[in-house]
Amino acid sequence: MDRVSENKRATDVQARSQGHTKSPRLTWSLSLCPCLSAVRGRRWIELGQEQQKSYVMRLLDALEVTDRDKRLKVARAILYLAQGVFDECDTDADVIHWSRHNVFLLYDMGIFTALLELLSMEMDNNQACSSAVRKPAISLADSTELRSLTLLLQQPLDTSPAQSVCWLLTLSSPLTSGSPLYNGEPFALLLFTMVTKFCSMNAPHFPIKKVLLLLWKTILFTMGGFEELQEMKVRGRERLSLPPLPEDSIKVVRSMRAASPPASAMELIEQQQQAKRGRRSRRPLVKQDSLDTYNERDPFKNDDARDEEEDGEEADSGIEGEVDPLDSDVIIQPPPPPPPLRPPTERASLPKGLPWAPKVREKDIEHFLETSRNKFIGFTLGNDTETLVGLPRPIHESVKTLKQHKYVSIAEMQIKREEELQQFLLSICCLDLSCFRAERLKAKNPHCIYQIALLKLLLAAAPTSKAKTDSINILADVLPEEMPITVLQSMKLGIDVNRHKEIIVKAISALLLLLLKHLKLNHIYQFEIVSQHLVFANCIPLILKFFNQNILSYISAKNSICVLDFPHCVVHEMPELTAESLEAGDRNQFCWRNLFSCINLLRILNKLTKWKHSRTMMLVVFKSAPILKRALKVKQAMMQLYVLKLLKIQTKYLGRQWRKSNMKTMSAIYQKVRHRLNDDWAYGNDIDARPWDFQAEECALRESIEKFNSRRYDKNQNGEFAPVDNCLQSVLGQRVELPEDFHYSYEMWLEREVFSQPIQWEGLLQQAR
């Protein structure tokens, strides 16, 4: 899903921005650029390969003119070619075919370097920046050239087919290794710089949505997506001689089924009232299989009135167990036996057993043996996990079972290696990380200065955020020069604004998740420094604020107009738009863009809080349990999995009454989340549940991060350990570079430091004896 293109209508094609439609036909032609009279009046699809190359070369030459308006016109002509010469095509497939053909041709002719030069010029255009800062309102017209350039850079990442990987590798070199135009920095850092300039209000005319999309797809292309990350993780474990992964997480998540959402407080009250009136018989127990029942029902009900009252800790505190909310529609009559919840064939088709293999950490085995030795022997042996003398036979079997499911992660190996390097800095060889993809981006920016800018944009695009006068204007590249005057135009603009925000949220969430996963695979402390920056920048409450809404309405939002999607809007006759058609939206039940964003944000929250008790307590303090429980109403297996993970890590802090009132959620956690064999999360008596010194935990982590950064990225890291030459002849024989003014001040130095200083010869003789 991470490769789903937002190029449809998000590319802001020229026809849409200019208000053109298919009827009358667009006036685009090969005579768009007046300097190309050799092919004027001819169709692009009728030209041969050599004629097309000659045309592209003349366009590249025309890009070097000093007149900005002429450069803009040529850039738009190149963009028309990259988008498939849609004026000469009759079907969507033809547009896609010619778009791929033209993109290959343009980039083979060296268009990438020219686009980078133009993008650099526009970034450094101080006149345009100062003019945009003084304007009271910024519109689409202020970013026309920048939008054209970013679209041209994004086009090959959207339209390249899978069989053209060899050709794409030629593009990855300047994107990954860097360009000489920017001191050898990777292209992603240039885009990060554009994001920070926009957020600092120095360049408010930047098309931030297109910059974020280009940045996300550049990271995705140069570093790889989730499947590539899984392959890199497998190779990394082989390189460290670790056992293979117990399962493929991507395949396991894809095979999981969604569970029925837990009941709300209003539904439970209604069921109790119905039971008192005798309308239905109350069942004493509810099977755990009912989590997956009635999957065919529409989960999107009108729960707006109940969302504000549900999930309160006081509302459902007196209920012994959660009853399936869908059972309220089933009337059980006394004479015939009640029908089963599922037919036998459906039950037989379910996979047996739990979806995940259980795991055990080395720390868990040490803690188990320490407790057992204190109980049966009366003393401990430190970190020894092999000696079992004096322990009863069941303890031997338990240790054997724990070791069978022991899992050592790459992060644990990296932490252990870093501790050895800090202890024996001169005697242990360091692992060269320069071959990893993320290291090329991280080495240029070891202190991570871009997270705050991304979080500012995420806050401005969140649907629960209120518009403020001092907030960032993220609508500069969606608002027209003239505001709408009719109801239809206002509705169309409202849909565009909402869709614009959704795309920004999607790009930022996918970008942050990719960076966190790649940095964690590269080195755990690179991941930790970025995570700590995000936590200190209030990323956790920001994500919780994002989910503190009617999440069903957000998932099922219909902020799209199918007839205006590219290339449909420029190929087919566009029907007349009405207010009724805009309100109806598309026929899709889900908005996959918003679902993808929610899953990404949940995964980011999981990565920030996993094994961090101080951050888990932040979830408890911000009362995230009711917010996350509402998110379980979305019947999508992957989203429910990451919500249940977040609920599991804070269950022991929520108290016995919460666990008693949310037994169905506890059952869902047991069924879908991976088990830690000696983790008694469901009982709340874990040793980690005791009061914790949160500040000391973060400070200790920060100290380890600083040591890693100093050793890895400090240029003078081994200055005090450098070898010293003690041979008098070699030292005197070395050629010393003297400054230019040495000859002028040498005599004065001799007079001051040598001749005028008294020498105590008797003292020297006594020291010699």
Side-chain angles (χ1 to χ4, degrees), residues 597-655:
S597 302
C598 291
I599 294 175
N600 288 337
L601 292 174
L602 289 171
R603 297 184 71 176
I604 292 171
L605 199 56
N606 269 284
K607 287 193 170 297
L608 295 180
T609 55
K610 186 176 182 181
W611 303 119
K612 302 292 189 304
H613 303 288
S614 60
R615 300 172 190 177
T616 303
M617 286 303 299
M618 291 182 67
L619 296 178
V620 180
V621 170
F622 289 118
K623 298 182 180 180
S624 64
I627 298 174
L628 295 172
K629 192 180 174 185
R630 281 198 296 269
L632 287 176
K633 288 182 173 292
V634 180
K635 297 182 66 174
Q636 207 277 338
M638 181 179 290
M639 183 170 174
Q640 287 183 346
L641 172 65
Y642 292 106
V643 171
L644 293 173
K645 281 186 176 183
L646 290 169
L647 288 173
K648 178 185 176 181
I649 62 176
Q650 57 177 319
T651 298
K652 52 193 169 189
Y653 302 105
L654 296 176

Side-chain angles (χ1 to χ4, degrees), residues 432-570:
D432 184 17
L433 299 177
S434 59
C435 58
F436 294 95
R437 301 175 185 177
E439 182 66 20
R440 301 173 186 175
L441 180 63
K442 179 67 180 176
K444 297 290 184 180
N445 180 29
H447 299 293
C448 305
I449 60 175
Y450 305 119
Q451 286 79 27
I452 295 179
L454 292 176
L455 291 182
K456 285 182 179 179
L457 293 173
L458 183 61
L459 176 62
T464 55
S465 298
K466 297 181 180 179
K468 297 180 181 179
T469 55
D470 56 344
S471 62
I472 302 175
N473 181 19
I474 60 173
L475 304 179
D477 54 335
V478 71
L479 296 178
E481 291 184 90
E482 299 180 359
M483 296 305 293
I485 56 177
T486 64
V487 176
L488 184 62
Q489 292 176 350
S490 300
M491 293 179 63
K492 189 188 300 184
L493 181 59
I495 293 175
D496 277 346
V497 168
N498 293 333
R499 182 177 174 277
H500 181 83
K501 292 181 178 181
E502 291 173 359
I503 295 174
I504 290 178
V505 173
K506 174 181 178 179
I508 294 176
S509 62
L511 175 61
L512 286 175
L513 180 60
L514 273 178
L515 286 176
L516 289 175
K517 291 183 73 67
H518 276 286
L519 290 175
K520 186 175 183 180
L521 187 59
N522 191 31
H523 200 283
I524 181 62
Y525 283 136
Q526 293 178 348
F527 162 80
E528 293 293 356
I529 184 61
V530 176
S531 300
Q532 205 167 63
H533 274 276
L534 291 174
V535 171
F536 292 163
N538 290 330
C539 182
I540 293 178
L542 173 58
I543 296 178
L544 293 177
K545 180 180 179 181
F546 181 88
F547 281 96
N548 193 19
Q549 58 172 318
N550 189 348
I551 201 66
L552 288 179
S553 299
Y554 184 73
I555 294 295
S556 58
K558 298 180 179 180
N559 294 316
S560 60
I561 308 173
C562 298
V563 294
L564 296 182
D565 286 344
F566 181 83
H568 186 277
C569 63
V570 292

